Short mmCIF file of all heavy atoms in Angstrom, two decimals:
data_model
loop_
_atom_site.label_atom_id
_atom_site.label_comp_id
_atom_site.label_asym_id
_atom_site.label_seq_id
_atom_site.Cartn_x
_atom_site.Cartn_y
_atom_site.Cartn_z
N GLU Q 37 109.71 53.37 75.57
CA GLU Q 37 110.60 53.84 74.50
C GLU Q 37 111.62 52.78 74.37
O GLU Q 37 111.97 51.98 75.31
CB GLU Q 37 111.41 55.10 74.90
CG GLU Q 37 110.64 56.32 74.61
CD GLU Q 37 111.28 57.60 75.10
OE1 GLU Q 37 112.65 57.73 74.67
OE2 GLU Q 37 110.74 58.27 75.76
N ARG Q 38 112.19 52.62 73.14
CA ARG Q 38 113.31 51.59 72.91
C ARG Q 38 114.54 52.10 73.59
O ARG Q 38 114.76 53.17 73.71
CB ARG Q 38 113.50 51.59 71.43
CG ARG Q 38 112.59 50.56 70.81
CD ARG Q 38 112.80 50.76 69.26
NE ARG Q 38 111.58 50.31 68.54
CZ ARG Q 38 111.32 49.07 68.21
NH1 ARG Q 38 112.33 48.22 68.48
NH2 ARG Q 38 110.22 48.56 67.67
N GLY Q 39 115.26 51.05 73.91
CA GLY Q 39 116.55 51.53 74.46
C GLY Q 39 116.68 51.55 75.91
O GLY Q 39 117.69 51.57 76.57
N ILE Q 40 115.55 51.63 76.52
CA ILE Q 40 115.55 51.64 78.09
C ILE Q 40 115.40 50.31 78.48
O ILE Q 40 114.42 49.60 78.05
CB ILE Q 40 114.46 52.56 78.54
CG1 ILE Q 40 114.54 53.99 78.02
CG2 ILE Q 40 114.46 52.63 80.08
CD1 ILE Q 40 113.48 54.89 78.36
N PRO Q 41 116.26 49.84 79.46
CA PRO Q 41 116.08 48.51 80.02
C PRO Q 41 114.71 48.40 80.73
O PRO Q 41 114.42 49.25 81.53
CB PRO Q 41 117.22 48.28 80.92
CG PRO Q 41 117.73 49.65 81.31
CD PRO Q 41 117.33 50.51 80.04
N VAL Q 42 113.91 47.41 80.49
CA VAL Q 42 112.60 47.14 81.07
C VAL Q 42 112.57 46.00 81.99
O VAL Q 42 113.05 44.91 81.46
CB VAL Q 42 111.53 47.09 79.97
CG1 VAL Q 42 110.14 46.89 80.62
CG2 VAL Q 42 111.45 48.37 79.03
N ILE Q 43 111.99 46.10 83.09
CA ILE Q 43 111.78 44.91 83.92
C ILE Q 43 110.24 44.63 83.86
O ILE Q 43 109.41 45.50 84.25
CB ILE Q 43 112.10 45.27 85.38
CG1 ILE Q 43 113.57 45.63 85.45
CG2 ILE Q 43 111.69 44.07 86.26
CD1 ILE Q 43 114.00 46.26 86.76
N GLU Q 44 110.04 43.62 83.13
CA GLU Q 44 108.51 43.24 82.94
C GLU Q 44 108.13 42.32 84.09
O GLU Q 44 108.62 41.17 84.10
CB GLU Q 44 108.28 42.69 81.69
CG GLU Q 44 106.79 42.70 81.36
CD GLU Q 44 106.51 43.03 79.78
OE1 GLU Q 44 107.54 43.53 79.13
OE2 GLU Q 44 105.53 42.82 79.39
N LEU Q 45 107.25 42.78 85.03
CA LEU Q 45 106.82 41.86 85.98
C LEU Q 45 105.81 40.86 85.55
O LEU Q 45 105.03 41.17 84.63
CB LEU Q 45 106.19 42.61 87.27
CG LEU Q 45 107.31 43.59 87.87
CD1 LEU Q 45 106.52 44.33 89.02
CD2 LEU Q 45 108.53 42.91 88.24
N GLU Q 46 105.69 39.73 86.21
CA GLU Q 46 104.74 38.79 85.87
C GLU Q 46 103.39 39.07 86.35
O GLU Q 46 103.09 39.85 87.25
CB GLU Q 46 105.21 37.29 86.40
CG GLU Q 46 106.37 36.73 85.81
CD GLU Q 46 107.00 35.71 86.66
OE1 GLU Q 46 106.26 35.06 87.40
OE2 GLU Q 46 108.24 35.65 86.57
N GLU Q 47 102.41 38.52 85.71
CA GLU Q 47 101.00 38.60 86.28
C GLU Q 47 101.01 38.12 87.68
O GLU Q 47 101.60 37.09 87.99
CB GLU Q 47 100.03 37.74 85.26
CG GLU Q 47 98.62 38.17 85.44
CD GLU Q 47 98.48 39.63 85.15
OE1 GLU Q 47 99.06 40.12 84.20
OE2 GLU Q 47 97.64 40.23 85.82
N GLY Q 48 100.35 38.80 88.40
CA GLY Q 48 100.28 38.46 89.93
C GLY Q 48 101.22 39.18 90.71
O GLY Q 48 101.02 39.33 91.95
N GLN Q 49 102.31 39.67 90.24
CA GLN Q 49 103.27 40.41 91.07
C GLN Q 49 102.71 41.82 91.44
O GLN Q 49 102.07 42.48 90.58
CB GLN Q 49 104.62 40.52 90.34
CG GLN Q 49 105.48 39.20 90.42
CD GLN Q 49 106.84 39.37 89.95
OE1 GLN Q 49 107.04 39.88 88.86
NE2 GLN Q 49 107.83 39.07 90.81
N VAL Q 50 103.00 42.31 92.50
CA VAL Q 50 102.65 43.48 93.03
C VAL Q 50 103.71 44.47 93.47
O VAL Q 50 104.66 44.01 94.05
CB VAL Q 50 101.58 43.28 94.23
CG1 VAL Q 50 101.15 44.63 94.80
CG2 VAL Q 50 100.49 42.44 93.81
N VAL Q 51 103.64 45.71 93.05
CA VAL Q 51 104.56 46.65 93.40
C VAL Q 51 103.94 47.57 94.53
O VAL Q 51 102.74 47.95 94.49
CB VAL Q 51 105.05 47.63 92.22
CG1 VAL Q 51 105.95 48.69 92.70
CG2 VAL Q 51 105.71 46.74 91.25
N MET Q 52 104.89 47.93 95.56
CA MET Q 52 104.34 48.75 96.67
C MET Q 52 105.44 49.59 97.05
O MET Q 52 106.62 49.28 96.81
CB MET Q 52 104.04 47.69 97.74
CG MET Q 52 103.15 48.20 98.89
SD MET Q 52 102.76 46.92 99.96
CE MET Q 52 102.46 47.80 101.41
N PRO Q 53 105.00 50.74 97.61
CA PRO Q 53 106.22 51.67 98.05
C PRO Q 53 106.91 51.00 99.16
O PRO Q 53 106.42 50.20 99.91
CB PRO Q 53 105.39 52.86 98.68
CG PRO Q 53 104.09 52.81 98.21
CD PRO Q 53 103.76 51.29 97.87
N GLY Q 54 108.19 51.32 99.40
CA GLY Q 54 109.05 50.76 100.35
C GLY Q 54 108.32 51.03 101.79
O GLY Q 54 107.84 52.24 101.92
N LEU Q 55 108.42 50.23 102.60
CA LEU Q 55 107.75 50.34 103.91
C LEU Q 55 108.67 51.48 104.75
O LEU Q 55 109.71 51.61 104.57
CB LEU Q 55 107.77 49.02 104.79
CG LEU Q 55 107.08 47.84 104.11
CD1 LEU Q 55 107.11 46.65 105.06
CD2 LEU Q 55 105.60 48.16 103.80
N VAL Q 56 107.78 52.14 105.52
CA VAL Q 56 108.44 53.23 106.45
C VAL Q 56 108.19 52.78 107.87
O VAL Q 56 107.01 52.70 108.29
CB VAL Q 56 107.88 54.52 106.17
CG1 VAL Q 56 108.60 55.54 107.00
CG2 VAL Q 56 108.13 54.92 104.68
N ASN Q 57 109.16 52.63 108.55
CA ASN Q 57 109.06 52.30 110.08
C ASN Q 57 109.64 53.50 110.81
O ASN Q 57 110.84 53.63 110.96
CB ASN Q 57 109.80 51.06 110.39
CG ASN Q 57 109.79 50.70 111.94
OD1 ASN Q 57 109.29 51.50 112.70
ND2 ASN Q 57 110.26 49.41 112.25
N PRO Q 58 108.65 54.28 111.34
CA PRO Q 58 109.13 55.60 111.92
C PRO Q 58 109.59 55.41 113.30
O PRO Q 58 109.91 56.44 114.02
CB PRO Q 58 107.91 56.46 111.79
CG PRO Q 58 106.84 55.51 111.93
CD PRO Q 58 107.28 54.08 111.36
N TYR Q 59 109.49 54.25 113.90
CA TYR Q 59 109.79 54.15 115.32
C TYR Q 59 110.52 52.92 115.64
O TYR Q 59 109.90 51.81 115.90
CB TYR Q 59 108.33 54.03 116.09
CG TYR Q 59 108.46 54.23 117.52
CD1 TYR Q 59 108.64 55.61 118.19
CD2 TYR Q 59 108.31 53.29 118.47
CE1 TYR Q 59 108.66 55.75 119.52
CE2 TYR Q 59 108.29 53.49 119.81
CZ TYR Q 59 108.56 54.74 120.28
OH TYR Q 59 108.53 54.89 121.71
N SER Q 60 111.74 52.97 115.67
CA SER Q 60 112.61 51.74 115.88
C SER Q 60 113.90 52.18 116.53
O SER Q 60 114.42 53.32 116.35
CB SER Q 60 112.85 51.11 114.54
OG SER Q 60 113.83 50.09 114.70
N ARG Q 61 114.48 51.25 117.31
CA ARG Q 61 115.87 51.33 117.81
C ARG Q 61 116.67 50.19 117.44
O ARG Q 61 117.73 49.94 117.89
CB ARG Q 61 115.79 51.40 119.33
CG ARG Q 61 115.51 52.81 119.86
CD ARG Q 61 115.89 53.04 121.31
NE ARG Q 61 117.19 52.74 121.60
CZ ARG Q 61 118.21 53.67 121.33
NH1 ARG Q 61 117.88 54.82 120.79
NH2 ARG Q 61 119.44 53.44 121.77
N TYR Q 62 116.12 49.48 116.44
CA TYR Q 62 116.92 48.26 115.81
C TYR Q 62 118.18 48.74 115.16
O TYR Q 62 118.24 49.72 114.59
CB TYR Q 62 116.11 47.60 114.91
CG TYR Q 62 116.70 46.14 114.55
CD1 TYR Q 62 116.49 45.10 115.46
CD2 TYR Q 62 117.35 45.93 113.36
CE1 TYR Q 62 117.02 43.84 115.25
CE2 TYR Q 62 117.76 44.70 113.16
CZ TYR Q 62 117.71 43.66 113.92
OH TYR Q 62 118.20 42.43 113.83
N GLY Q 63 119.35 48.17 115.67
CA GLY Q 63 120.66 48.65 115.18
C GLY Q 63 121.25 49.63 116.18
O GLY Q 63 122.32 50.09 115.87
N MET Q 64 120.49 50.13 117.06
CA MET Q 64 121.10 51.03 118.14
C MET Q 64 121.16 50.31 119.43
O MET Q 64 120.55 49.27 119.68
CB MET Q 64 120.28 52.31 118.29
CG MET Q 64 120.31 53.12 117.00
SD MET Q 64 119.44 54.65 117.30
CE MET Q 64 120.21 55.69 116.14
N SER Q 65 122.06 50.72 120.36
CA SER Q 65 122.22 50.08 121.62
C SER Q 65 122.22 51.18 122.78
O SER Q 65 122.30 52.36 122.41
CB SER Q 65 123.43 49.25 121.67
OG SER Q 65 124.39 50.14 121.41
N GLY Q 66 122.22 50.69 123.92
CA GLY Q 66 122.31 51.75 125.04
C GLY Q 66 121.02 52.10 125.56
O GLY Q 66 120.03 52.05 124.85
N GLY Q 67 121.07 52.59 126.82
CA GLY Q 67 119.87 53.03 127.49
C GLY Q 67 119.90 54.55 127.56
O GLY Q 67 120.73 55.21 127.06
N GLY Q 68 118.82 55.01 128.19
CA GLY Q 68 118.68 56.45 128.28
C GLY Q 68 118.54 56.91 129.69
O GLY Q 68 118.82 56.14 130.78
N TYR Q 69 117.97 58.09 129.91
CA TYR Q 69 117.66 58.59 131.24
C TYR Q 69 116.20 58.84 131.35
O TYR Q 69 115.48 58.49 130.66
CB TYR Q 69 118.52 59.96 131.44
CG TYR Q 69 119.90 59.74 131.21
CD1 TYR Q 69 120.54 59.82 129.97
CD2 TYR Q 69 120.73 59.35 132.25
CE1 TYR Q 69 121.93 59.60 129.74
CE2 TYR Q 69 122.09 59.15 132.15
CZ TYR Q 69 122.69 59.35 130.90
OH TYR Q 69 124.03 59.17 130.72
N ASN Q 70 115.98 59.35 132.63
CA ASN Q 70 114.59 59.39 133.02
C ASN Q 70 114.04 60.83 133.05
O ASN Q 70 112.98 61.16 133.49
CB ASN Q 70 114.42 58.76 134.34
CG ASN Q 70 112.95 58.36 134.54
OD1 ASN Q 70 112.16 58.49 133.75
ND2 ASN Q 70 112.63 58.03 135.77
N ASP Q 71 114.87 61.83 132.53
CA ASP Q 71 114.52 63.22 132.74
C ASP Q 71 114.34 63.81 131.36
O ASP Q 71 114.20 63.17 130.38
CB ASP Q 71 115.60 63.86 133.59
CG ASP Q 71 116.95 63.80 133.11
OD1 ASP Q 71 117.12 63.05 132.02
OD2 ASP Q 71 117.91 64.16 133.60
N SER Q 72 114.45 65.17 131.36
CA SER Q 72 114.14 65.90 130.17
C SER Q 72 115.57 66.25 129.42
O SER Q 72 116.33 66.97 130.02
CB SER Q 72 113.38 67.16 130.48
OG SER Q 72 113.21 67.81 129.34
N ARG Q 73 115.84 65.63 128.34
CA ARG Q 73 116.99 65.99 127.59
C ARG Q 73 116.49 66.06 126.10
O ARG Q 73 117.04 65.25 125.21
CB ARG Q 73 118.02 64.81 127.60
CG ARG Q 73 118.50 64.64 129.04
CD ARG Q 73 119.21 63.25 129.26
NE ARG Q 73 119.42 63.12 130.62
CZ ARG Q 73 120.71 63.17 131.18
NH1 ARG Q 73 121.68 63.32 130.45
NH2 ARG Q 73 120.82 62.98 132.42
N PRO Q 74 115.82 67.07 125.82
CA PRO Q 74 115.26 67.20 124.43
C PRO Q 74 116.39 67.56 123.37
O PRO Q 74 116.13 67.39 122.17
CB PRO Q 74 114.25 68.25 124.44
CG PRO Q 74 114.69 69.12 125.68
CD PRO Q 74 115.36 68.11 126.75
N GLN Q 75 117.49 68.01 123.77
CA GLN Q 75 118.52 68.29 123.02
C GLN Q 75 119.41 67.09 122.33
O GLN Q 75 120.04 67.21 121.38
CB GLN Q 75 119.54 69.28 123.52
CG GLN Q 75 120.67 68.68 124.43
CD GLN Q 75 119.99 68.32 125.73
OE1 GLN Q 75 118.88 68.33 126.08
NE2 GLN Q 75 120.92 68.05 126.76
N VAL Q 76 119.09 65.88 122.94
CA VAL Q 76 119.83 64.71 122.45
C VAL Q 76 119.42 64.29 121.22
O VAL Q 76 118.20 64.23 120.90
CB VAL Q 76 119.60 63.57 123.48
CG1 VAL Q 76 120.03 62.20 122.98
CG2 VAL Q 76 120.28 63.84 124.92
#
Side-chain angles (χ1 to χ4, degrees):
Chain Q
E37 276 179 57
R38 271 165 205 278
I40 303 173
V42 177
I43 301 165
E44 195 145 343
L45 298 185
E46 289 163 27
E47 198 57 40
Q49 278 189 308
V50 177
V51 172
M52 195 173 155
L55 304 181
V56 181
N57 178 350
Y59 192 81
S60 174
R61 276 195 63 75
Y62 194 75
M64 292 186 155
S65 58
Y69 300 89
N70 202 11
D71 53 359
S72 177
R73 296 165 189 250
Q75 79 282 12
V76 170

